[in-house]
Amino acid sequence: FAGGIWTWSRIFPSYSKTFDTARGQLDACKKLGVDTVFVTTWNSPCAPWDTNAVLPGFQMWAEQLYNEKVTDEGFSEMFEICTGYRLCDFLALDVDNFSAEDKEKYMEPGCFCINSSIQHFFNDVLYGLYEKTLDGYDFKGHYKKCLDRQNAIPDMGKFNDMLNQAKILTELLYEKCDIGKRLRAAYPDKAALSTCVETLEKISEIYNVPLESLLKEYRTVSLFM
């Protein structure tokens, strides 16, 4: 059986989806006597996550293989023993992690594969292709909470580059997620348009300067296509 760490079509791995599917899949394998399993990761130009970000997914699979049942406390403890880093710091980087209440209220029952991060990342600010899909939820507040959690992480040692990358991307999502609606609402108001221009300049700066090497393949496409 081949499972997956949920890395595809998002800017950072979805840990909640990875953990939930690993538990269900490997429980089924144990019950059915499937004795050969492995986990996969996938990447593409649509997934600019740091390779080290898959470590919690690997740890969950390892814990499932070595234990009949895996508790959250035991999992967190073993992750720190094996890596030397806190699991909670990695979890703070997952911008597509939503509460159970949000999943129940805003998504179809049992479906929590939402990858709003990559939709906001690539959404054209004038076409607004994904805006109807993403309508009705306070993504501005959501990304602000994510950014606050990331900024509260004191140090991630050799993973600081991963942390800094995540903070840059989260700041980009925070600035960009509502700019299309703000632009259209501001058309009759020159002062409001000026404020939008300032935000667009900041978004362009985030795309083009700090992410020079990370996003060079598609940074222009994602903003202006």
Side-chain angles (χ1 to χ4, degrees):
F1 175 82
I5 297 173
W6 282 66
T7 56
W8 50 90
S9 298
R10 58 193 71 243
I11 68 167
F12 209 81
S14 175
Y15 293 133
S16 59
K17 187 70 174 177
T18 297
F19 299 161
D20 286 344
T21 53
R23 287 187 169 100
Q25 292 163 352
L26 294 177
D27 281 348
C29 287
K30 293 170 186 176
K31 292 176 182 177
L32 296 173
V34 178
D35 59 6
T36 302
V37 299
F38 59 94
V39 67
T40 63
T41 65
W42 303 84
N43 205 345
S44 71
C46 295
W49 45 270
D50 187 291
T51 305
N52 293 307
V54 300
L55 287 175
F58 283 133
Q59 188 73 41
M60 173 56 77
W61 269 69
E63 296 307 305
Q64 291 288 337
L65 294 176
Y66 285 106
N67 299 280
E68 192 64 30
K69 294 294 180 182
V70 179
T71 65
D72 291 342
E73 295 78 11
F75 172 47
S76 180
E77 180 181 359
M78 287 305 301
F79 182 82
E80 188 163 356
I81 289 173
C82 291
T83 67
Y85 292 88
R86 300 188 306 173
L87 177 64
C88 61
D89 291 341
F90 275 76
L91 300 186
L93 309 184
D94 179 5
V95 293
D96 288 323
N97 187 22
F98 298 88
S99 68
E101 292 77 15
D102 283 347
K103 292 173 187 175
E104 183 177 353
K105 184 176 180 180
Y106 295 101
M107 306 172 203
E108 294 181 8
C111 178
F112 48 98
C113 311
I114 189 168
N115 57 346
S116 53
S117 63
I118 209 70
Q119 294 180 60
H120 282 132
F121 184 86
F122 280 108
N123 194 38
D124 186 280
V125 297
L126 296 180
Y127 289 168
L129 180 62
Y130 297 117
E131 285 180 2
K132 189 62 179 178
T133 304
L134 300 167
D135 195 30
Y137 182 77
D138 179 19
F139 282 104
K140 195 79 170 179
H142 172 74
Y143 292 135
K144 179 62 166 61
K145 291 177 183 177
C146 292
L147 195 57
D148 288 345
R149 287 195 294 268
Q150 293 167 10
N151 286 327
I153 299 173
D155 183 73
M156 290 191 75
K158 63 182 179 182
F159 298 130
N160 273 333
D161 285 346
M162 178 182 69
L163 171 61
N164 291 333
Q165 172 186 316
K167 288 195 288 189
I168 291 170
L169 290 169
T170 305
E171 182 182 9
L172 176 63
L173 297 176
Y174 172 75
E175 295 290 347
K176 189 183 178 188
C177 67
D178 65 343
I179 188 60
K181 293 180 179 179
R182 288 172 53 200
L183 270 172
R184 284 187 288 279
Y187 279 161
D189 186 337
K190 289 185 178 181
L193 278 173
S194 296
T195 301
C196 288
V197 169
E198 293 175 3
T199 301
L200 287 169
E201 289 174 344
K202 186 173 184 179
I203 291 171
S204 181
E205 181 179 322
I206 297 172
Y207 267 109
N208 288 285
V209 181
L211 301 180
E212 181 72 27
S213 60
L214 174 65
L215 306 175
K216 60 183 177 182
E217 297 177 12
Y218 48 90
R219 63 171 183 264
T220 304
V221 173
S222 57
L223 184 57
F224 299 113
M225 184 176 67

